[in-house]
Amino acid sequence: MAGGEKVDYVFKVVLIGDSAVGKSQILARFARNEFSIDSKATIGVEFQTRTLLIDHKSVKAQIWDTAGQERYRAVTSAYYRGALGALLVYDITKRQSFDHIPRWLEELRGHADKNIVIMLVGNKSDLEDERAVSTEDAKEFAEKENLFFLETSALQATNVENAFQTVLSEIFKIHSKKNMAADPKANGAAPSLAGKKVVVPGPAQEIPKSKCCSSM
Amino acid sequence: MLRRQPGDAPASAAASEADLAQLSTAIAAGEDLGPFVRRAFACGRPEPLLASLRAAARDREAEIEELCRAHFHDFIRAVDDLRSLLADADALKGSLSASHAALLSSAAPLLASLESFLAARGLAGNLSSALASSRRCVRLLALANRANAHLQGGNHNLYLALRAVDAIDRDLASGPEPLPLPTLRRMLLSLVPAVRAHAEREISREFSDWMVSIRAASRHLGQVAIGRSAAARQRQEELRSKHRPLEECITLDDDGVGDLDDFAAAAATADVADGAAAASFDLTPLYRAMHIHHTLALGERFKKYYLENRKLQLTSDFDVIAATPFLESHQVFFSQIAGFFIVEDRVFRTGGGLTSRPDVDALWDSAVAKMVSVMEDNFSRMQTANHLLLITDYAALLSATMRRYGYPVGMLLDVLARHRDKYHDLLLADCRRQVVEALAADKFDQMLMRKEYEYSMNVLAFGIQSSDITPAFPYVAPFSCTVPDICRIVRSFIEDSVSFMAHGGGGDTYAAVKKYLGRILSEVVDASIQKLVDSGGGLSVSQAMQVAANMSVMERACEFFTGHAAQLCGVPLRAVERGRRDFPLRKSRDAAEALLLRLLRSKVDEFMGQSDGVTWMADDPPAGGNEYANEVIIYLETLTSTAQQILPLPVLRRVLVAVLAHISERIVGLFLNDSVKRFNASAVTGIDTDLKMFEAFGESMSSLFVDSDQESAANEMKAALVEARQLVNLLMSNSPENFLNPVIREKSYNKLDYKKVAAISEKFRDSSESYFSTFGTRGARQNPKKKSLDTLIKRLREAS
């Protein structure tokens, strides 16, 4: 699949969070449009790729998932290495999975690049009747820690596309700035990214204002 | 018997009586009488012999007549008997004729009955024969019907169908006579091979279906088996190493397979969607196919067919990776092969000779060769360390899995071991880039931390805290942000190295990890910092000081790295502490200090370069010292107040001593400067005042080192300024010629150089001479200091 395509960027994004919060389902939902080997319940790490266009550039998203073996230590460090984006996933019906988010965030910041783009994701938004984590609590935590925030439903495909698009677009911005800084000649040629609208929210969903992760 | 006649006279002699006795015996015995006759005639007296012979003849004739008479009587009686018998026979003949007539009259109806009986019996025999033949036909048709029913019942009844068909065949082949119905016989003769062919076709189709399904099932089976190996390894690691806080709070989902074998585990973990795959772990179709082929006397052919098809299937498994990048397909590739051989192991153990150990070994050898080839090819083109780690890790899990089934995995592990250096080279290259980026991004300011988790993440995580008390926030660290960044990079390297070493090959893991840790610290961290320092890079004094301060923090971090590596390798810390080594970043630390000194010296030179600062021919000494000295003192005091916050005391001490030594050099240099032609005693007094200020500064600085020997610090500071002090003392002395006295020189002027003293003295003498020359015009005596100075100069010239 990848052989014939010309790809301008390859961005690695990792999915982290407690087991059974639906990380693999989020990944499957996002990557559903691309052919992939049938590899269910793989060991330690699974990743799938999907190529999309951002601002007329071909961006290949390499999404990494722990596939339910969060403590698979052999690839803990390698899992985070080179990651430019991360989705911190919790289950809105399980308070404990949200209470563990600070520890996941700490591990992420301890291993990954400091400029990583992080989005807090509350999955299983279709199970409103069983909600155990309020949107306000999560939003407050996200604002305090300078994270993006969205609630998703992998089952109903709610906001999954938006989550990845937001993270990838933000990574793209950062990388474009780096490239322009590295190559002054490209300043004039590169189109301005200011005010670019990249996320189209669904009904009743609020997208937080764009925030860059602060330097630690 | 000879009878004695009464008329015969006994005239013969005794000898004649003996001869007669013998002759009688011979006649009675029937012997030949020749010898008797010849002897009688030889004797010449034949008459007695002839008389005996005639007597014997008469006796014989008498007997014959007697015998004939007796026989005649018997004959007559016999004839009478015969005549009587003839009469009886005639009577019997009549009686017999009468009986015959009676019998014929009564037997006629019986004969008719007998004929009827015989006809009926023949008919019965025919009927029996027909019935037997029909019964045989019925039995054959019943067998055929049963075979048909079994065939309709599915492949699990094929064996029973074949048994029925075999019975038909045996009947046709070995029956007492050919089947009387040719049509039926032809039909059955064609039916038997048709059923066998059908059975073979059906069982082959089922076998082919099984081959397809077992391939899909093998992948799942391989994944589960490798997953169980991963879980077992993880349990061992948890037992061996300390849990991180995060891990203690997360409950790993237990799949509940417990100690079930891999087949049962794979079946238990199959989803509903994998129901077919789970059912396919059943080897029954294979056993059935083998049994059917054996029943059809095709067992050997089936063995070959099975082996060839499994080879083809394995070859096809090798092509799983063709369509997709290996990084994304390697798990499928390895799982498929693992599942294949787990199935093959079971077939070998339970297949009753379907496969042999050499067959399975040959398949495994080809699979290993293929996997080795694929890995080598992909590794050679791989440029990202964690991709290599992912694949080698999964390959190591595959090896652990296959070892459980007794397959030799040495060659696989050899590949992993062979790529250890490549993996670490990639890792080192990646880390080098990260370290360089971190250094480039650092402004070398002290790092500010606002939250406790920042302190925990940047300080506690690497054991570089100054004390065990958590500080108040915001907290200003003694190091800049490069330090935790580099620590994170190195820790990540350690973890990635341990991940590879622990499962990527044999040998002493800790020794190898320690070797690679040494490499990253020396080749990457030390070299990068050294390069930054050597280039200068426009660093200011405060920034250089921060770099030097960072190095001391890194020294503590290096202890953490060694301990961390040991902990991850399961080595007790006591063993590590015993083998404590030198600071691996010594070069860059020395380079950083050298840079700091270099910059400080330039700063000092800059201040002392203000040549208009010193008035060499002033009438009076400058009050409070020269301007440059005040500026240097102010600068040094400002510098020290900052330095003592971040630099460790030994470094600060070394820096101060070196700076003072440099100041001493520069003071001597002032006197030697070509722009200074002459100077007078006032100038010397001024320099002396400057020197006293520097000495006072050193004295006050030594109070910082109360932890170490304060007195020795003061002595070091003073010793740093000794050259300038000795020069000034010499110039202010009334007897400078004492420099020529070896004892006095060694005691008071041991740091001074001959040539320097000569040059400086020349400048001093000129001014002195001029001064005293004016005084001399009044007629006063020559000044004794001048004379001493002249003596000194003269002797030094001679010495040179």
Side-chain angles (χ1 to χ4, degrees):
Chain A
M1 293 295 296
E5 299 177 7
K6 173 180 173 284
V7 172
D8 297 313
Y9 297 99
V10 177
F11 294 154
K12 175 177 172 180
V13 176
V14 293
L15 290 163
I16 53 176
D18 285 3
S19 59
V21 295
K23 301 189 294 298
S24 298
Q25 284 69 41
I26 288 175
L27 172 56
R29 175 63 68 182
F30 178 67
R32 71 193 179 281
N33 293 336
E34 184 154 298
F35 166 78
S36 68
I37 293 284
D38 172 24
S39 61
K40 183 183 68 65
T42 52
I43 303 306
V45 163
E46 173 185 352
F47 71 88
Q48 296 192 39
T49 59
R50 177 177 160 185
T51 303
L52 57 161
L53 291 179
I54 298 180
D55 199 29
H56 308 297
K57 295 291 185 182
S58 177
V59 173
K60 182 172 179 177
Q62 196 181 79
I63 317 294
W64 290 54
D65 179 24
T66 55
Q69 298 245 359
E70 280 69 30
R71 287 194 295 154
Y72 186 63
R73 193 188 58 77
V75 293
T76 297
S77 209
Y79 186 74
Y80 293 113
R81 179 183 293 275
L84 301 173
L87 298 187
L88 270 173
V89 186
Y90 68 95
D91 181 343
I92 68 164
T93 68
K94 292 177 183 171
R95 181 78 202 188
Q96 190 183 42
S97 67
F98 178 73
D99 291 342
H100 287 161
I101 289 293
R103 294 181 182 274
W104 283 113
L105 182 59
E106 180 176 339
E107 173 164 284
L108 180 62
R109 285 176 167 158
H111 283 89
D113 190 89
K114 67 177 74 173
N115 295 319
I116 191 169
V117 178
I118 306 174
M119 171 174 279
L120 181 64
V121 174
N123 195 32
K124 306 191 185 182
S125 62
D126 52 289
L127 302 176
E128 186 62 36
D129 294 344
E130 304 174 36
R131 178 183 285 272
V133 181
S134 69
T135 306
E136 288 70 31
D137 280 356
K139 194 179 297 183
E140 180 184 349
F141 178 82
E143 287 174 357
K144 185 181 71 170
E145 298 291 343
N146 292 313
L147 312 176
F148 290 93
F149 170 65
L150 270 181
E151 285 185 346
T152 63
S153 167
L155 180 66
Q156 298 177 349
T158 304
N159 267 350
V160 171
E161 196 80 12
N162 289 339
F164 283 101
Q165 284 277 0
T166 302
V167 170
L168 292 166
S169 298
E170 192 65 23
I171 296 170
F172 180 79
K173 280 190 207 174
I174 294 173
H175 259 64
S176 297
K177 288 174 183 174
K178 281 188 178 180
N179 286 1
M180 284 190 287
D183 187 4
K185 300 177 182 177
N187 275 337
S192 173
L193 297 177
K196 180 80 177 180
K197 190 69 175 177
V198 296
V199 176
V200 181
Q205 291 291 332
E206 180 180 342
I207 307 299
K209 293 181 179 179
S210 176
K211 297 178 180 178
C212 293
C213 296
S214 65
S215 179
M216 287 182 293
Chain B
M1 295 289 287
L2 292 174
R3 290 187 292 177
R4 196 171 287 279
Q5 296 293 326
D8 290 338
S12 61
S16 295
E17 289 180 357
D19 288 339
L20 288 177
Q22 290 180 355
L23 184 61
S24 297
T25 304
I27 291 170
E31 297 179 359
D32 186 9
L33 300 178
F36 293 98
V37 173
R38 284 194 288 277
R39 186 161 58 247
F41 279 92
C43 290
R45 291 173 56 199
E47 290 84 7
L49 180 60
L50 291 176
S52 297
L53 290 178
R54 277 193 288 273
R58 278 196 298 280
D59 288 341
R60 295 291 185 193
E61 286 178 0
E63 287 180 5
I64 289 171
E65 285 177 6
E66 188 65 27
L67 187 59
C68 286
R69 192 165 39 253
H71 284 176
F72 178 80
H73 288 302
D74 288 338
F75 179 77
I76 293 303
R77 279 197 297 279
V79 169
D80 287 342
D81 287 339
L82 285 176
R83 285 183 179 182
S84 172
L85 184 60
L86 182 58
D88 289 341
D90 285 341
L92 184 59
K93 183 178 178 181
S95 172
L96 187 59
S97 294
S99 297
H100 177 66
L103 187 60
L104 281 178
S105 64
S106 66
L110 188 59
L111 185 58
S113 298
L114 181 60
E115 287 178 350
S116 299
F117 168 77
L118 287 178
R121 190 169 70 177
L123 182 61
N126 287 343
L127 285 178
S128 296
S129 174
L131 283 176
S133 183
S134 297
R135 190 170 299 106
R136 186 179 171 201
C137 291
V138 166
R139 186 171 66 257
L140 289 175
L141 289 175
L143 286 174
N145 186 55
R146 196 184 314 153
N148 195 50
H150 288 317
L151 290 175
Q152 289 178 339
N155 284 9
H156 64 279
N157 281 336
L158 272 186
Y159 176 65
L160 294 176
L162 285 177
R163 280 172 61 89
V165 169
D166 284 351
I168 292 174
D169 194 37
R170 279 197 302 276
D171 191 307
L172 291 178
S174 59
E177 63 189 35
L179 201 64
L181 297 180
T183 304
L184 182 60
R185 185 172 72 252
R186 281 197 299 273
M187 187 196 77
L188 290 178
L189 284 176
S190 66
L191 169 67
V192 167
V195 168
R196 286 178 175 156
H198 174 78
E200 187 185 354
R201 200 164 47 248
E202 284 298 306
I203 205 64
S204 294
R205 185 182 58 76
E206 188 190 29
F207 174 69
S208 297
D209 289 348
W210 176 83
M211 290 280 276
V212 171
S213 64
I214 199 64
R215 184 156 183 262
S218 290
R219 182 182 299 174
H220 177 66
L221 175 61
Q223 286 167 348
V224 169
I226 293 177
R228 282 157 53 84
S229 295
R233 180 212 273 179
Q234 201 163 324
R235 283 192 292 272
Q236 290 169 12
E237 287 172 358
E238 286 165 9
L239 288 175
R240 197 170 55 223
S241 66
K242 190 189 299 180
H243 293 285
R244 288 177 297 179
L246 179 65
E247 290 173 331
E248 291 164 4
C249 296
I250 296 173
T251 304
L252 182 67
D253 271 358
D254 191 355
D255 55 6
V257 295
D259 289 325
L260 295 172
D261 69 79
D262 289 327
F263 280 88
T269 56
D271 296 340
V272 175
D274 286 342
S280 295
F281 291 128
D282 184 9
L283 300 184
T284 303
L286 176 66
Y287 302 142
R288 182 184 301 125
M290 183 182 170
H291 193 38
I292 294 296
H293 280 84
H294 193 72
T295 302
L296 293 169
L298 299 172
E300 289 303 316
R301 200 180 83 173
F302 179 69
K303 287 184 183 180
K304 290 192 179 68
Y305 180 80
Y306 173 81
L307 189 58
E308 284 170 10
N309 275 265
R310 287 294 269 172
K311 281 179 183 174
L312 289 174
Q313 196 162 66
L314 184 62
T315 305
S316 178
D317 287 347
F318 293 159
D319 292 333
V320 166
I321 59 175
T324 313
F326 188 58
L327 184 58
E328 298 177 27
S329 64
H330 73 279
Q331 288 199 6
V332 175
F333 174 68
F334 288 131
S335 298
Q336 188 74 59
I337 292 176
F340 180 96
F341 282 98
I342 292 170
V343 168
E344 207 58 30
D345 175 74
R346 176 156 287 201
V347 169
F348 171 70
R349 288 188 289 105
T350 65
L354 175 58
T355 57
S356 65
R357 175 54 66 185
D359 289 337
V360 179
D361 286 349
L363 284 176
W364 175 245
D365 287 346
S366 68
V368 168
K370 179 65 178 183
M371 287 190 282
V372 167
S373 165
V374 167
M375 284 196 285
E376 300 247 3
D377 178 52
N378 283 275
F379 288 164
S380 67
R381 293 187 276 105
M382 211 159 272
Q383 296 302 324
T384 305
N386 61 345
H387 294 172
L388 209 144
L389 173 64
L390 282 181
I391 293 172
T392 55
D393 188 64
Y394 206 82
L397 283 172
L398 169 73
S399 300
T401 305
M402 301 321 294
R403 196 189 282 114
R404 280 201 273 125
Y405 287 90
Y407 291 102
V409 295
M411 284 183 65
L412 282 175
L413 296 177
D414 283 349
V415 176
L416 308 187
R418 273 203 301 278
H419 287 85
R420 191 171 77 183
D421 281 344
K422 158 129 189 171
Y423 169 73
H424 283 94
D425 287 343
L426 291 174
L427 213 54
L428 286 167
D430 190 33
C431 291
R432 179 178 292 107
R433 181 184 55 76
Q434 292 181 49
V435 167
V436 169
E437 283 179 0
L439 290 171
D442 197 355
K443 295 185 173 62
F444 298 104
D445 299 326
Q446 286 178 266
M447 194 175 179
L448 176 68
M449 296 171 208
R450 296 181 178 82
K451 298 171 182 173
E452 184 169 352
Y453 87 81
E454 290 183 36
Y455 181 79
S456 169
M457 193 165 57
N458 291 308
V459 179
L460 296 178
F462 310 114
I464 53 178
Q465 59 271 20
S466 308
S467 73
D468 292 333
I469 302 169
T470 302
F473 295 100
Y475 167 71
V476 181
F479 48 82
S480 66
C481 63
T482 292
V483 169
D485 287 346
I486 291 177
C487 289
R488 230 185 309 282
I489 293 164
V490 173
R491 181 182 63 179
S492 174
F493 177 89
I494 293 168
E495 289 171 359
D496 290 343
S497 182
V498 171
S499 295
F500 193 102
M501 299 305 305
H503 312 288
D508 186 349
T509 299
Y510 178 60
V513 170
K514 209 164 59 171
K515 181 188 85 171
Y516 287 114
L517 173 59
R519 279 188 67 190
I520 186 176
L521 292 176
S522 62
E523 295 176 22
V524 172
V525 179
D526 196 35
S528 297
I529 297 175
Q530 192 173 340
K531 187 176 178 182
L532 165 77
V533 164
D534 290 346
S535 70
L539 292 177
S540 66
V541 168
S542 64
Q543 288 176 326
M545 190 177 349
Q546 183 64 65
V547 173
N550 287 348
M551 298 317 299
S552 66
V553 181
M554 288 301 300
E555 190 159 6
R556 290 209 299 284
C558 287
E559 294 175 13
F560 162 79
F561 297 147
T562 306
H564 187 56
Q567 179 180 316
L568 292 180
C569 295
V571 173
L573 285 180
R574 290 188 307 277
V576 175
E577 287 161 4
R578 255 201 315 272
R580 188 173 296 279
R581 299 188 302 170
D582 290 335
F583 179 42
L585 307 180
R586 188 170 55 260
K587 285 182 183 177
S588 52
R589 179 189 64 185
D590 294 348
E593 283 191 25
L595 173 65
L596 177 56
L597 283 177
R598 194 160 66 245
L599 293 176
L600 285 175
R601 288 188 183 118
S602 333
K603 204 70 179 178
V604 166
D605 292 350
E606 181 184 322
F607 287 126
M608 299 183 76
Q610 304 166 19
S611 55
D612 56 344
V614 181
T615 307
W616 296 103
M617 298 297 294
D619 292 334
D620 298 308
N626 290 291
E627 185 63 26
Y628 79 88
N630 287 281
E631 291 181 359
V632 167
I633 291 293
I634 292 170
Y635 178 78
L636 289 182
E637 284 174 347
T638 305
L639 184 90
T640 304
S641 69
T642 304
Q644 65 186 359
Q645 298 176 31
I646 56 176
L647 283 179
L649 293 180
V651 176
L652 178 57
R653 176 164 157 171
R654 284 198 297 271
V655 167
L656 289 176
V657 167
V659 168
L660 292 177
H662 183 70
I663 290 172
S664 176
E665 274 181 41
R666 293 296 298 145
I667 287 174
V668 172
L670 286 177
F671 284 112
L672 286 167
N673 199 328
D674 287 345
S675 64
V676 176
K677 301 301 179 185
R678 297 187 303 163
F679 61 87
N680 60 12
S682 296
V684 172
T685 303
I687 298 294
D688 178 57
T689 304
D690 296 343
L691 199 49
K692 284 191 171 74
M693 291 169 64
F694 290 131
E695 287 167 346
F697 172 80
E699 186 75 23
S700 68
M701 286 298 110
S702 64
S703 65
L704 294 174
F705 308 105
V706 291
D707 293 335
S708 56
D709 192 347
Q710 180 174 349
E711 184 176 347
S712 74
N715 290 338
E716 273 188 38
M717 302 281 179
K718 190 175 288 292
L721 295 164
V722 71
E723 188 186 15
R725 166 52 57 202
Q726 288 179 354
L727 179 65
V728 168
N729 286 347
L730 180 66
L731 294 179
M732 295 180 69
S733 169
N734 284 327
S735 307
E737 75 187 287
N738 287 340
F739 182 77
L740 302 172
N741 187 318
V743 174
I744 296 177
R745 182 170 66 250
E746 188 58 36
K747 177 173 178 291
S748 305
Y749 307 112
N750 61 318
K751 294 296 183 183
L752 296 180
D753 177 78
Y754 279 66
K755 296 181 180 180
K756 288 182 180 178
V757 170
I760 294 171
S761 298
E762 287 275 1
K763 299 180 181 183
F764 197 28
R765 182 189 67 176
D766 291 347
S767 115
S768 179
E769 184 177 79
S770 175
Y771 176 83
F772 288 116
S773 169
T774 304
F775 187 77
T777 55
R778 299 183 185 181
R781 294 179 295 123
Q782 192 176 36
N783 189 286
K785 179 168 180 177
K786 179 178 186 309
K787 182 176 180 182
S788 176
L789 200 59
D790 288 344
T791 304
L792 174 64
I793 294 168
K794 180 181 177 183
R795 293 280 294 273
L796 288 175
R797 280 193 185 143
E798 292 169 359
S800 64

